[in-house]
Amino acid sequence: MTQPNLINQSDVSQVSEESCLIEILEEIQETPQEHWSNLLEIIRVFRKSVTSRRELLTHLQQENLDRQNQEILNQQHQALQELTREWLEEGDEQEQTETWESLTQGIDDNPF
C-alpha cells in the first residue's frame, strides 16, 4: 500500500518568488542572531553547489555540441572524399570545372 501524496503540486507551483523570499526572511527572523553567521555560510554553500551544477551541465552540453559538430564535419569530409573519388573515376572535365567554379564562388561569397 502506497502512502498518498499530501503535497498538492499545483499549489507548490503557484508559490511566487516574492512569497518564497518572505518565507525565507521570516525563517531568518525566527533564527537566533548568534546563528546567523552559520546560516549565511549554509546559504552560500548551497548557492555555490547549485551554480557549480549549472556550470557543469553547461560544460557537458558544450562537449556534446562539439561532438555533434565534429560528427557533422566528419560526414561532410567523407562525402567530399566520395565526390572526389567519383569525379576522378568518371572524369567529366567540363562538369568538374563548372562545379569547382561554383564552389569557389560560394566560398568567396561566404567566408567562414
Side-chain angles (χ1 to χ4, degrees):
M1 181 173 180
T2 62
Q3 188 164 348
N5 186 358
L6 301 177
I7 299 175
N8 184 341
Q9 292 300 321
S10 63
D11 290 342
V12 171
S13 64
Q14 293 176 358
V15 175
S16 70
E17 289 180 17
E18 185 177 315
S19 65
C20 283
L21 181 59
I22 291 170
E23 287 184 42
I24 290 169
L25 293 174
E26 288 173 353
E27 289 296 327
I28 291 171
Q29 287 176 341
E30 294 295 320
T31 303
Q33 277 190 328
E34 63 266 17
H35 299 292
W36 281 7
S37 62
N38 291 336
L39 180 60
L40 177 61
E41 188 61 30
I42 290 169
I43 292 171
R44 285 180 176 153
V45 167
F46 175 76
R47 177 188 48 81
K48 288 176 184 177
S49 73
V50 172
T51 304
S52 295
R53 281 191 221 145
R54 188 177 329 133
E55 289 171 354
L56 178 60
L57 182 59
T58 302
H59 180 71
L60 291 174
Q61 289 171 334
Q62 183 61 47
E63 285 180 348
N64 189 31
L65 184 59
D66 290 344
R67 275 193 296 274
Q68 290 173 349
N69 287 338
Q70 186 61 47
E71 181 63 30
I72 290 169
L73 288 174
N74 289 343
Q75 290 172 355
Q76 290 173 342
H77 182 72
Q78 195 170 14
L80 184 58
Q81 284 180 325
E82 180 64 23
L83 180 61
T84 303
R85 186 190 59 74
E86 288 176 9
W87 278 356
L88 292 174
E89 290 175 358
E90 294 173 11
D92 184 351
E93 191 173 330
Q94 177 63 32
E95 181 184 355
Q96 293 173 9
T97 302
E98 291 171 4
T99 303
W100 176 254
E101 289 170 357
S102 175
L103 288 172
T104 303
Q105 181 65 38
I107 291 172
D108 290 342
D109 291 344
N110 299 307
F112 296 62

